[in-house]
Amino acid sequence: MAGPADDVTLTFGGNATTLLRLGGFTLLTDPNFIGRGQRVYLGKGLFAKRLTDPALLPGDLPDLDAVLLSHLHGDHWDRIAYASIDTATPVVTTQAAARTLASRGFSATADLRPWQVHELTRGEETLRITSVPGEHGPGVLARVLPPIMGSVLELLRGGEVTWRGYVTGDTLFRPYLAEVLQRCGPLDVVVPHLGGTKALGFTVTMDGRQGADLVELLRPPVTVPVHYDDYDRFASPLGDFVREVAERRAPGEVRVVQRGETISLRA
């Protein structure tokens, strides 16, 4: 899939917050703006403390075409997001999160079911967003935690896909994620949510081993890990993932992006 080298970029804001510029479209993912030392509520009496300051704040943001929200947890949509994001901004998210946001006055939510597609159009370009199922926890815990979604993003020009990427959301590794390739086609990049987050003694996001499993499964030419050291509930540092990928000689390149840095998402 060909295209200009700088037409698809990611700016890392910390945790799972990124600013994606995909052709003529600008998306914000999982907005989390609280500062170091502050806490967010995760539900069921659980809190998490932020260990870092964000590199993106509401005042830094350009005009947005949409917010892409994997699920409604306090470390992915916090109280500052509620207060600062215009309620007319389109938010592409799960059905459960869309209902809650609508009750708070957000009037342009797209509530996607697994594998449902939502499209944005600007001139001759289309951004196609496909909701990918995921599991935020094993067994019974999956019914306690909020529903989550990953997203396959496809930039189309003249009806042809020029770039395709997958943002995993807070899912655990599951073999059925191979359906991403079967349904959507080969990927240019995967942006996995890692960290091996612990809740109630269970791992609820991919650790280094599971992240490497995903790279082996999907074989992207570029992997850009996020969501691995910003909160005190992370138990698997980024080094675990990098080491696992290297030991397995998994395909592709791992690009580690610093907070505030902008990188290309093309191979």
Side-chain angles (χ1 to χ4, degrees):
M1 289 174 278
D6 60 352
D7 72 336
V8 182
T9 64
L10 176 151
T11 303
F12 184 38
N15 203 43
T17 304
T18 69
L19 188 66
L20 299 175
R21 296 185 184 271
L22 311 175
F25 302 95
T26 303
L27 268 63
L28 180 70
T29 68
D30 294 334
N32 181 206
F33 302 122
I34 69 161
R36 180 173 54 189
Q38 295 182 298
R39 298 200 306 166
V40 294
Y41 184 56
L42 303 179
K44 309 302 178 183
L46 297 175
F47 289 84
K49 183 172 73 172
R50 186 152 194 173
L51 305 177
T52 64
D53 283 319
L56 289 175
L57 292 172
D60 302 322
L61 300 177
D63 291 338
L64 300 173
D65 291 290
V67 174
L68 186 63
L69 177 62
S70 62
H71 66 301
L72 203 55
H73 256 161
D75 59 330
H76 291 255
W77 181 289
D78 60 21
R79 54 188 175 272
I80 299 176
Y82 271 119
S84 62
I85 293 177
D86 190 322
T87 55
T89 303
V91 182
V92 183
T93 189
T94 66
Q95 292 179 302
R99 287 194 297 269
T100 300
L101 291 173
S103 73
R104 299 285 294 267
F106 287 83
S107 59
T109 56
D111 53 345
L112 301 188
R113 299 182 300 275
W115 303 115
Q116 188 174 358
V117 173
H118 180 76
E119 292 188 344
L120 305 173
T121 300
R122 181 184 291 277
E124 295 184 354
E125 291 186 327
T126 297
L127 182 64
R128 184 161 61 205
I129 304 170
T130 301
S131 172
V132 178
E135 294 180 36
H136 201 353
V140 174
L141 197 60
R143 296 195 290 271
V144 175
L145 295 170
I148 68 102
M149 74 174 204
S151 300
V152 172
L153 307 173
E154 295 174 292
L155 180 62
L156 290 82
R157 293 189 173 108
E160 297 293 326
V161 176
T162 65
W163 177 89
R164 181 182 293 121
Y166 170 39
V167 181
T168 68
D170 276 14
T171 187
L172 297 170
F173 172 79
R174 293 293 184 260
Y176 65 68
L177 294 176
E179 284 192 62
V180 168
L181 299 183
Q182 296 162 11
R183 290 174 178 263
C184 299
L187 299 164
D188 293 286
V189 66
V190 169
V191 181
H193 291 195
L194 300 176
T197 315
K198 292 287 188 179
L200 301 174
F202 293 93
T203 299
V204 296
T205 63
M206 288 183 285
D207 57 16
R209 177 184 55 79
Q210 291 191 39
D213 289 340
L214 186 71
V215 171
E216 287 193 309
L217 182 72
L218 300 181
R219 305 180 68 83
V222 175
T223 300
V224 183
V226 299
H227 191 273
Y228 50 77
D229 68 351
D230 288 276
Y231 280 89
D232 59 356
R233 290 189 174 274
F234 291 130
S236 178
L238 179 61
D240 289 353
F241 170 71
V242 174
R243 184 167 49 254
E244 281 275 352
V245 170
E247 289 177 353
R248 301 184 195 194
R249 299 183 180 178
E253 172 194 3
V254 176
R255 294 182 185 167
V256 177
V257 57
Q258 304 301 313
R259 290 175 190 82
E261 183 183 4
T262 299
I263 63 169
S264 173
L265 294 183
R266 288 196 183 275

